[in-house]
């Protein structure tokens, strides 16, 4: 008990320091945001808009209220503020009292009404608000306004509170948030630069179809950066009652797998769902934002203990402005559009070089591109499937579990079978290409055989010979992660345990095998996966059994955001450095093959009876 008390005091002391720094700059205002939530069904008074400013610097509360009433009422108002685990009664308000007269509410007339009022609060009331409320981003705070019929002595009772006639609540903020649109654009820019770096690498090293998209290189390639952004977003989709600060942070990365709000697309998907037996009740884009995000599940907020379940996928989709029933089709259509743009671009480039060939001589690289055009298309599409495999598995299984639209469910099943079947077939094909010598498979053919290398190198190019098969372990990891997120939806403890079972073996494999050719790639892979394991372990803090104090949960949410942000910044820096270094680094397998050709050429030159030496051919990556 003493240890728990010490822990809470330590956390509160740290937050108090933040609060003092913020208060010194004048940050002592809380205000309401978002849509109103009705906490009294069938009320006599309907509050349609309510804006409240809690200014604890000047010790005033300013509010603007508008609504309708079914009858004329004398009322008394009670305003409460729930901040973390503190339920604070801000001030009772008698609109007919001389010291707090509000003519528009004395009485509330039948029909429409509106009023603006400023009420003073005591220093004692202002001091009840935790200092963290002024400085911590996305605080856990809710305001509640209740209206009671005013009872008087002439009516046979004592003056005071009668029947409740209205109740409304909405979210409170201090203006500091992790939901920053600019963060999404910055992350997209980092991904774009890493894609450019991978493209430059591919050209500099001979036009490899895989480039940096499927394998680690000196620094974080496009697959590394995009995969990291997807981990942030997918982690936010877990059925765990995360603090609001992390929920809003993770939503900035939904673009990494195509979960974007596009009104025209949402409307088309909803029409398709209706035509194929879907039900749009409480599951349509137009209904999003009808209620404030007060909590992930119903429970005892005062104790910080969530008793119900959290639908992580639903919560995340709604935060993106996408109805949960539209999520799979949204991701699929966006990815198909991206694939179409890539194919059209590659086809246009082929047309240009074909026209060039009629009027001049093409460089050898471009001639090879023309000859292997359809193979290049296939490799690019397969690389795309690898990049988005986990989101596709997650949303496909989630759509199948919902079973709401027969059409969407059928498409989800077909997509899941096709993409998984393709990756399994490629893995089997590569496995069967490896000859067995003395009871042991010799993978050298994968790196020395020109045709095999051109077809499949984008899957295993950067792995060491003996660990070429690690790409199959990565595919299995991606599949299992998607299955865990979708099938364990609504079970936070089971999902957290399963997530650790998925993450820890991959860390063990990377630490044991160190499978990449380059030392820097091994360091990057192991370090990134170690962070994944640590963050997956932190998820246990938010499972219902622990019933953490809300203020402690808020601190842990900040820890999650801080770690993810730090790694993201490191990735951004490394991407810039990597763009420079990659231009000067050749693929080790290509160097080995070139070295072998050069040695053969030297041996031929030393033999006077041999044929004239031939120019060594450099195999394309």
């Amino acid at each position: 008990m003493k240890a728990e008390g010490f822990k809470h005091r330590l956390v509160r002391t740290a937050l108090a320091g933040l609060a003092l720094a913020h208060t010194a700059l004048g940050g002592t205002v809380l205000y309401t945001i978002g849509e109103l939530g009705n906490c009294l069904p069938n009320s006599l008074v309907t509050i349609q808009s309510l804006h409240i400013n809690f200014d604890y610097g000047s010790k005033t509360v300013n509010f603007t209220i508008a609504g309708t009433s079914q009858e004329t009422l004398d009322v008394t108002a009670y305003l409460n503020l729930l901040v973390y685990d503190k339920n604070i009664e801000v001030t009772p308000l008698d609109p007919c009292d001389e010291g707090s007269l509000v003519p528009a509410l004395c009485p509330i007339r039948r029909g429409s009404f509106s009023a603006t009022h400023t009420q003073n609060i005591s220093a004692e009331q202002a001091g009840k608000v935790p200092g963290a409320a002024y400085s911590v981003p996305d605080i856990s705070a809710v305001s509640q306004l209740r209206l009671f019929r005013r009872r008087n002595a002439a009516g046979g009772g004592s003056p005071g509170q009668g029947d409740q006639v209205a109740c409304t609540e909405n979210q409170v903020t201090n203006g500091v948030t992790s939901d920053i649109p600019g963060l999404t654009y910055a992350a997209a820019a980092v991904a774009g630069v890493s894609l450019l770096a991978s493209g430059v690498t591919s050209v500099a090293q001979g036009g490899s179809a895989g480039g940096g998209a499927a394998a680690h290189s000196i620094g974080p390639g496009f697959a590394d950066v995009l995969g990291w952004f997807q981990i942030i977003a997918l982690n936010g989709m877990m059925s765990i009652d995360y603090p609001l600060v992390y929920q809003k942070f993770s939503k900035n990365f939904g673009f990494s797998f195509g979960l974007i709000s596009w009104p025209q697309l949402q409307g088309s998907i909803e029409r398709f769902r209706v035509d194929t037996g879907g039900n749009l009740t409480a599951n349509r884009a137009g209904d999003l934002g009808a209620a404030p995000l007060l909590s992930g599940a119903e429970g005892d907020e005062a104790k910080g203990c969530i008793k119900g379940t959290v639908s992580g996928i639903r919560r995340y989709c709604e935060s993106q402005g996408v109805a949960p029933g539209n999520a799979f089709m949204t991701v699929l259509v966006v990815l198909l559009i991206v694939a179409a743009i890539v194919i059209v671009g590659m086809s246009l480039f082929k047309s240009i070089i074909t026209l060039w060939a009629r009027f001049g001589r093409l460089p050898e690289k471009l001639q090879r591109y023309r000859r292997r055009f359809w193979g290049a298309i296939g490799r690019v599409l397969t690389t795309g499937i690898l990049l988005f495999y986990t989101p596709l598995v997650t949303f496909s299984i989630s759509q199948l579990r919902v079973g709401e639209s027969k059409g969407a469910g059928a498409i989800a099943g077909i997509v899941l079978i096709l993409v998984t079947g393709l990756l399994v077939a490629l893995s089997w094909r590569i496995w069967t290409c490896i000859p067995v010598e003395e009871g042991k498979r010799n993978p050298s053919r994968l790196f020395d055989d020109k045709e095999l290398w051109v077809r499949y190198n984008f899957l295993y190019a950067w792995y060491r010979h003996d660990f070429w098969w690690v790409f199959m372990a990565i595919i299995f990891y991606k599949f299992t992660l998607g299955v865990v997120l979708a099938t364990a939806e609504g079970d936070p403890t089971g999902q957290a345990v399963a997530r650790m079972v998925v993450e820890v073996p991959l860390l063990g494999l990377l630490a044991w095998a160190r499978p990449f050719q380059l030392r820097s790639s091994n360091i990057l892979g192991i370090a990134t996966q170690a962070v994944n394991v640590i963050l997956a372990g932190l998820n246990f803090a938010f499972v219902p059994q622990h019933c953490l104090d809300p203020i402690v949960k808020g601190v842990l949410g900040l820890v999650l955001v801080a770690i993810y942000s730090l790694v993201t910044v490191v990735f951004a820096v490394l991407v810039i450095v990597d763009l420079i270094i990659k231009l000067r680094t050749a693929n080790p397998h290509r160097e080995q093959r070139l070295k072998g050709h050069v040695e053969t050429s030297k041996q031929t030159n030393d033999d006077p009876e041999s044929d004239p030496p031939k120019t060594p051919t450099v195999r394309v990556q």
Side-chain angles (χ1 to χ4, degrees), residues 60-80:
T60 59
V61 175
N62 177 273
F63 67 87
T64 301
I65 185 173
T68 59
S69 177
Q70 298 179 22
E71 59 183 78
T72 299
L73 296 168
D74 286 324
V75 299
T76 302
Y78 290 85
L79 183 60
N80 288 63

mmCIF file of all heavy atoms in Angstrom, residues 60-80:
data_model
loop_
_atom_site.group_PDB
_atom_site.id
_atom_site.type_symbol
_atom_site.label_atom_id
_atom_site.label_comp_id
_atom_site.label_asym_id
_atom_site.label_seq_id
_atom_site.Cartn_x
_atom_site.Cartn_y
_atom_site.Cartn_z
ATOM 1 N N THR A 60 -13.058 32.515 -13.063
ATOM 2 C CA THR A 60 -14.389 32.715 -13.630
ATOM 3 C C THR A 60 -14.748 31.537 -14.540
ATOM 4 O O THR A 60 -13.864 30.845 -15.067
ATOM 5 C CB THR A 60 -14.466 34.013 -14.465
ATOM 6 O OG1 THR A 60 -13.503 33.938 -15.526
ATOM 7 C CG2 THR A 60 -14.208 35.237 -13.610
ATOM 8 N N VAL A 61 -16.046 31.324 -14.707
ATOM 9 C CA VAL A 61 -16.576 30.355 -15.655
ATOM 10 C C VAL A 61 -17.518 31.099 -16.577
ATOM 11 O O VAL A 61 -18.478 31.733 -16.116
ATOM 12 C CB VAL A 61 -17.321 29.202 -14.949
ATOM 13 C CG1 VAL A 61 -17.954 28.281 -15.977
ATOM 14 C CG2 VAL A 61 -16.381 28.427 -14.043
ATOM 15 N N ASN A 62 -17.228 31.037 -17.868
ATOM 16 C CA ASN A 62 -18.071 31.702 -18.853
ATOM 17 C C ASN A 62 -18.749 30.636 -19.707
ATOM 18 O O ASN A 62 -18.084 29.719 -20.196
ATOM 19 C CB ASN A 62 -17.229 32.633 -19.731
ATOM 20 C CG ASN A 62 -18.049 33.309 -20.820
ATOM 21 O OD1 ASN A 62 -18.233 32.762 -21.895
ATOM 22 N ND2 ASN A 62 -18.537 34.499 -20.524
ATOM 23 N N PHE A 63 -20.068 30.731 -19.878
ATOM 24 C CA PHE A 63 -20.735 29.743 -20.711
ATOM 25 C C PHE A 63 -21.787 30.399 -21.594
ATOM 26 O O PHE A 63 -22.372 31.430 -21.248
ATOM 27 C CB PHE A 63 -21.366 28.629 -19.863
ATOM 28 C CG PHE A 63 -22.512 29.062 -18.994
ATOM 29 C CD1 PHE A 63 -23.813 29.084 -19.476
ATOM 30 C CD2 PHE A 63 -22.290 29.428 -17.675
ATOM 31 C CE1 PHE A 63 -24.862 29.471 -18.674
ATOM 32 C CE2 PHE A 63 -23.342 29.811 -16.857
ATOM 33 C CZ PHE A 63 -24.637 29.836 -17.364
ATOM 34 N N THR A 64 -21.970 29.770 -22.755
ATOM 35 C CA THR A 64 -23.020 30.159 -23.699
ATOM 36 C C THR A 64 -23.864 28.927 -23.956
ATOM 37 O O THR A 64 -23.331 27.879 -24.338
ATOM 38 C CB THR A 64 -22.429 30.677 -25.020
ATOM 39 O OG1 THR A 64 -21.595 31.799 -24.747
ATOM 40 C CG2 THR A 64 -23.531 31.074 -25.983
ATOM 41 N N ILE A 65 -25.172 29.050 -23.751
ATOM 42 C CA ILE A 65 -26.056 27.900 -23.832
ATOM 43 C C ILE A 65 -27.244 28.230 -24.733
ATOM 44 O O ILE A 65 -27.710 29.368 -24.790
ATOM 45 C CB ILE A 65 -26.551 27.486 -22.423
ATOM 46 C CG1 ILE A 65 -27.384 26.206 -22.483
ATOM 47 C CG2 ILE A 65 -27.320 28.603 -21.756
ATOM 48 C CD1 ILE A 65 -27.741 25.660 -21.106
ATOM 49 N N ALA A 66 -27.710 27.221 -25.476
ATOM 50 C CA ALA A 66 -28.893 27.388 -26.320
ATOM 51 C C ALA A 66 -29.621 26.061 -26.395
ATOM 52 O O ALA A 66 -28.998 24.993 -26.370
ATOM 53 C CB ALA A 66 -28.508 27.860 -27.716
ATOM 54 N N GLY A 67 -30.937 26.119 -26.434
ATOM 55 C CA GLY A 67 -31.717 24.894 -26.495
ATOM 56 C C GLY A 67 -33.197 25.163 -26.629
ATOM 57 O O GLY A 67 -33.624 26.284 -26.952
ATOM 58 N N THR A 68 -33.990 24.139 -26.353
ATOM 59 C CA THR A 68 -35.455 24.259 -26.403
ATOM 60 C C THR A 68 -36.044 23.611 -25.160
ATOM 61 O O THR A 68 -35.460 22.676 -24.591
ATOM 62 C CB THR A 68 -36.021 23.569 -27.656
ATOM 63 O OG1 THR A 68 -35.660 22.181 -27.644
ATOM 64 C CG2 THR A 68 -35.513 24.215 -28.928
ATOM 65 N N SER A 69 -37.206 24.121 -24.762
ATOM 66 C CA SER A 69 -37.887 23.590 -23.582
ATOM 67 C C SER A 69 -39.344 23.279 -23.929
ATOM 68 O O SER A 69 -39.988 24.018 -24.695
ATOM 69 C CB SER A 69 -37.825 24.595 -22.428
ATOM 70 O OG SER A 69 -38.548 24.124 -21.305
ATOM 71 N N GLN A 70 -39.856 22.194 -23.349
ATOM 72 C CA GLN A 70 -41.236 21.795 -23.611
ATOM 73 C C GLN A 70 -42.239 22.586 -22.765
ATOM 74 O O GLN A 70 -43.436 22.560 -23.041
ATOM 75 C CB GLN A 70 -41.405 20.294 -23.346
ATOM 76 C CG GLN A 70 -40.546 19.416 -24.243
ATOM 77 C CD GLN A 70 -40.720 17.943 -23.942
ATOM 78 O OE1 GLN A 70 -41.729 17.537 -23.378
ATOM 79 N NE2 GLN A 70 -39.731 17.142 -24.325
ATOM 80 N N GLU A 71 -41.761 23.252 -21.739
ATOM 81 C CA GLU A 71 -42.645 24.063 -20.899
ATOM 82 C C GLU A 71 -41.820 25.135 -20.202
ATOM 83 O O GLU A 71 -40.582 25.083 -20.205
ATOM 84 C CB GLU A 71 -43.379 23.201 -19.873
ATOM 85 C CG GLU A 71 -42.459 22.423 -18.935
ATOM 86 C CD GLU A 71 -43.239 21.543 -17.988
ATOM 87 O OE1 GLU A 71 -43.691 20.465 -18.404
ATOM 88 O OE2 GLU A 71 -43.371 21.955 -16.809
ATOM 89 N N THR A 72 -42.497 26.099 -19.610
ATOM 90 C CA THR A 72 -41.812 27.152 -18.865
ATOM 91 C C THR A 72 -41.367 26.606 -17.517
ATOM 92 O O THR A 72 -42.153 25.998 -16.782
ATOM 93 C CB THR A 72 -42.747 28.356 -18.656
ATOM 94 O OG1 THR A 72 -43.127 28.869 -19.939
ATOM 95 C CG2 THR A 72 -42.055 29.447 -17.852
ATOM 96 N N LEU A 73 -40.081 26.824 -17.180
ATOM 97 C CA LEU A 73 -39.509 26.201 -15.994
ATOM 98 C C LEU A 73 -38.640 27.178 -15.218
ATOM 99 O O LEU A 73 -37.865 27.951 -15.815
ATOM 100 C CB LEU A 73 -38.636 24.988 -16.395
ATOM 101 C CG LEU A 73 -39.333 23.803 -17.069
ATOM 102 C CD1 LEU A 73 -38.290 22.868 -17.655
ATOM 103 C CD2 LEU A 73 -40.199 23.058 -16.064
ATOM 104 N N ASP A 74 -38.744 27.150 -13.884
ATOM 105 C CA ASP A 74 -37.757 27.770 -13.009
ATOM 106 C C ASP A 74 -36.711 26.705 -12.690
ATOM 107 O O ASP A 74 -37.055 25.620 -12.201
ATOM 108 C CB ASP A 74 -38.410 28.258 -11.718
ATOM 109 C CG ASP A 74 -39.234 29.514 -11.942
ATOM 110 O OD1 ASP A 74 -38.807 30.353 -12.761
ATOM 111 O OD2 ASP A 74 -40.314 29.636 -11.333
ATOM 112 N N VAL A 75 -35.459 26.980 -12.963
ATOM 113 C CA VAL A 75 -34.431 25.945 -12.835
ATOM 114 C C VAL A 75 -33.270 26.419 -11.973
ATOM 115 O O VAL A 75 -33.051 27.621 -11.777
ATOM 116 C CB VAL A 75 -33.889 25.513 -14.213
ATOM 117 C CG1 VAL A 75 -34.995 24.915 -15.079
ATOM 118 C CG2 VAL A 75 -33.211 26.682 -14.921
ATOM 119 N N THR A 76 -32.547 25.430 -11.479
ATOM 120 C CA THR A 76 -31.248 25.629 -10.837
ATOM 121 C C THR A 76 -30.234 24.797 -11.607
ATOM 122 O O THR A 76 -30.507 23.639 -11.946
ATOM 123 C CB THR A 76 -31.271 25.189 -9.368
ATOM 124 O OG1 THR A 76 -32.281 25.911 -8.677
ATOM 125 C CG2 THR A 76 -29.932 25.439 -8.714
ATOM 126 N N ALA A 77 -29.065 25.374 -11.899
ATOM 127 C CA ALA A 77 -28.045 24.689 -12.695
ATOM 128 C C ALA A 77 -26.890 24.248 -11.809
ATOM 129 O O ALA A 77 -26.480 24.965 -10.882
ATOM 130 C CB ALA A 77 -27.536 25.611 -13.801
ATOM 131 N N TYR A 78 -26.381 23.050 -12.101
ATOM 132 C CA TYR A 78 -25.204 22.515 -11.414
ATOM 133 C C TYR A 78 -24.175 22.115 -12.467
ATOM 134 O O TYR A 78 -24.471 21.324 -13.368
ATOM 135 C CB TYR A 78 -25.569 21.306 -10.555
ATOM 136 C CG TYR A 78 -26.405 21.661 -9.345
ATOM 137 C CD1 TYR A 78 -27.789 21.774 -9.453
ATOM 138 C CD2 TYR A 78 -25.820 21.897 -8.118
ATOM 139 C CE1 TYR A 78 -28.566 22.116 -8.355
ATOM 140 C CE2 TYR A 78 -26.588 22.236 -7.014
ATOM 141 C CZ TYR A 78 -27.955 22.348 -7.138
ATOM 142 O OH TYR A 78 -28.717 22.686 -6.044
ATOM 143 N N LEU A 79 -22.993 22.684 -12.353
ATOM 144 C CA LEU A 79 -21.918 22.417 -13.300
ATOM 145 C C LEU A 79 -20.811 21.640 -12.604
ATOM 146 O O LEU A 79 -20.274 22.090 -11.588
ATOM 147 C CB LEU A 79 -21.364 23.731 -13.848
ATOM 148 C CG LEU A 79 -20.262 23.622 -14.912
ATOM 149 C CD1 LEU A 79 -20.765 22.876 -16.132
ATOM 150 C CD2 LEU A 79 -19.771 25.021 -15.304
ATOM 151 N N ASN A 80 -20.510 20.451 -13.146
ATOM 152 C CA ASN A 80 -19.460 19.599 -12.588
ATOM 153 C C ASN A 80 -18.360 19.388 -13.607
ATOM 154 O O ASN A 80 -18.602 19.386 -14.817
ATOM 155 C CB ASN A 80 -20.021 18.246 -12.165
ATOM 156 C CG ASN A 80 -20.868 18.328 -10.922
ATOM 157 O OD1 ASN A 80 -21.907 18.978 -10.913
ATOM 158 N ND2 ASN A 80 -20.428 17.685 -9.860
#
